[in-house]
Amino acid sequence: MTNEVPTINYYKNRCRFNISHTNLLISLCATLPIISTLPVSALQLQVNPTNPRLGDTVSVFINLDNPDSPNKPTISVGEKTYPAFEVAPNRYRALIPTTPLEKPGTRKIRVTGDGQVKELSVPVANRKFPVQRITLPPGKSADGATEYELNRVAAFKALQTPEKYWKGAFLNPNNGRLSTGYGVRRYYNGKFAKDYYHRGIDYAGADGSRVVAPAAGKVALVGRVSQGFRVHGNVVGIDHGQGVVSIFMHLSRINVKEGDFVKAGQLIGAVGSTGAATGPHLHWGLYVNGQSVDPIPWKTKTFP
């Protein structure tokens, strides 16, 4: 009889182990179908245009499948990082500028989001830019900008306001013919301007003709010759939001003040020849994340 007790206890303990082990297996099997049916988070990317040229603005769209992701996606090209702004629920967009001073070739765009990292290879095609020779009269040298002028303009071009003010394609700011295109390289008074390219487009508008805002935005810069704007002349800068700004130079008249919100097509000034200008014309420069890009594509298509 005494020998039966440990035998019984042995079988009881073994039975408890088997029951516990079985329950564990049942528990695991029950959870497996739930795990397998969870949605797999995927970082979805889209680039537009797919075949950009130097001077184009490249849009990178990022779709995040995880609505609970606490962080915005990050976008970088080499050592430069570009802000991504939400344009729809879980959909972000970053704008990457290209310029005539860059070399053509493949750009490696690195995107991080949803705990994933993806790299895109975007080919940027070459583009030939014409060379122009400009003779400026005494006192209108392109090298004569004041420190105040340069600091104000630099701060304006660096704006990255979170709000997006523009909507649809941009308008022509003046009705004059296009006299000088974007990206032109120049000689000033016989001297080649190194690392220079025409950062915008010129309209040969008549002196005093209307200048309007090409898109909605907030007036973030108003400068006058009397304040030391020797090169830009009388100038207006509009912040369109999300790193996109427009600058209008050589004005004869200014009709807005800093802080004003303007609509597309609203009068902001008049064509003139103030600053480093050889005659009446309007210079419109469009900057994306601090770099001058070609405004023409912004007039022919919509950047969401």
Side-chain angles (χ1 to χ4, degrees):
M1 294 294 294
T2 56
N3 292 334
E4 293 179 2
V5 174
T7 304
I8 293 171
N9 288 338
Y10 167 76
Y11 281 110
K12 284 182 178 179
N13 291 335
R14 184 177 180 183
C15 184
R16 289 193 191 99
F17 172 77
N18 287 339
I19 292 171
S20 177
H21 187 64
T22 302
N23 289 339
L24 178 61
L25 288 174
I26 292 173
S27 177
L28 285 173
C29 291
T31 58
L32 281 175
I34 297 175
I35 294 174
S36 64
T37 56
L38 286 175
V40 178
S41 178
L43 192 63
Q44 301 175 22
L45 308 177
Q46 180 184 357
V47 175
N48 187 39
T50 56
N51 55 344
R53 301 185 305 162
L54 292 177
D56 283 348
T57 304
V58 179
S59 299
V60 180
F61 293 93
I62 307 104
N63 288 338
L64 301 183
D65 283 347
N66 181 9
D68 299 323
S69 179
N71 299 319
K72 292 182 179 180
T74 60
I75 296 89
S76 60
V77 180
E79 296 181 354
K80 293 184 179 180
T81 301
Y82 299 94
F85 298 97
E86 191 170 17
V87 293
N90 299 325
R91 182 171 171 83
Y92 292 80
R93 187 257 299 119
L95 297 174
I96 299 176
T98 66
T99 75
L101 298 183
E102 299 174 12
K103 293 182 179 180
T106 301
R107 300 291 188 274
K108 298 289 185 180
I109 302 176
R110 183 181 177 88
V111 181
T112 304
D114 274 353
Q116 304 173 62
V117 179
K118 283 193 175 183
E119 195 172 80
L120 294 173
S121 295
V122 179
V124 179
N126 198 6
R127 179 178 172 185
K128 291 184 177 180
F129 297 96
V131 176
Q132 194 176 56
R133 295 180 182 271
I134 298 291
T135 300
L136 293 173
K140 294 214 171 188
S141 170
D143 298 325
T146 64
E147 184 176 357
Y148 173 76
E149 174 182 10
L150 294 175
N151 289 341
R152 288 292 314 276
V153 172
F156 166 73
K157 293 175 181 177
L159 292 174
Q160 292 181 338
T161 306
E163 291 80 12
K164 174 179 176 287
Y165 299 128
W166 83 87
K167 183 178 181 181
F170 282 37
L171 306 176
N172 281 317
N174 182 260
N175 290 329
R177 65 175 178 84
L178 189 65
S179 56
T180 305
Y182 168 84
V184 174
R185 310 303 299 274
R186 278 180 175 171
Y187 286 84
Y188 282 103
N189 295 343
K191 181 181 178 181
F192 183 70
K194 186 180 179 181
D195 296 333
Y196 167 88
Y197 64 95
H198 190 229
R199 289 168 166 81
I201 54 180
D202 288 349
Y203 290 86
D207 192 14
S209 60
R210 290 167 53 89
V211 176
V212 302
K218 188 172 292 185
V219 179
L221 173 67
V222 169
R224 293 178 168 84
V225 175
S226 60
Q227 297 172 315
F229 283 78
R230 296 176 183 171
V231 171
H232 293 77
N234 297 328
V235 61
V236 169
I238 298 176
D239 177 13
H240 302 296
Q242 298 188 349
V244 181
V245 300
S246 286
I247 191 166
F248 305 92
M249 297 164 48
H250 313 306
L251 303 175
S252 62
R253 184 181 72 248
I254 295 175
N255 290 76
V256 291
K257 63 182 183 300
E258 289 185 13
D260 287 350
F261 186 87
V262 294
K263 299 178 181 179
Q266 182 174 332
L267 179 69
I268 62 172
V271 170
S273 56
T274 57
T278 56
H281 73 282
L282 172 68
H283 175 94
W284 171 30
L286 183 66
Y287 288 76
V288 172
N289 291 318
Q291 297 294 322
S292 168
V293 298
D294 191 348
I296 298 298
W298 286 76
K299 298 196 302 113
T300 57
K301 66 178 182 178
T302 299
F303 285 79

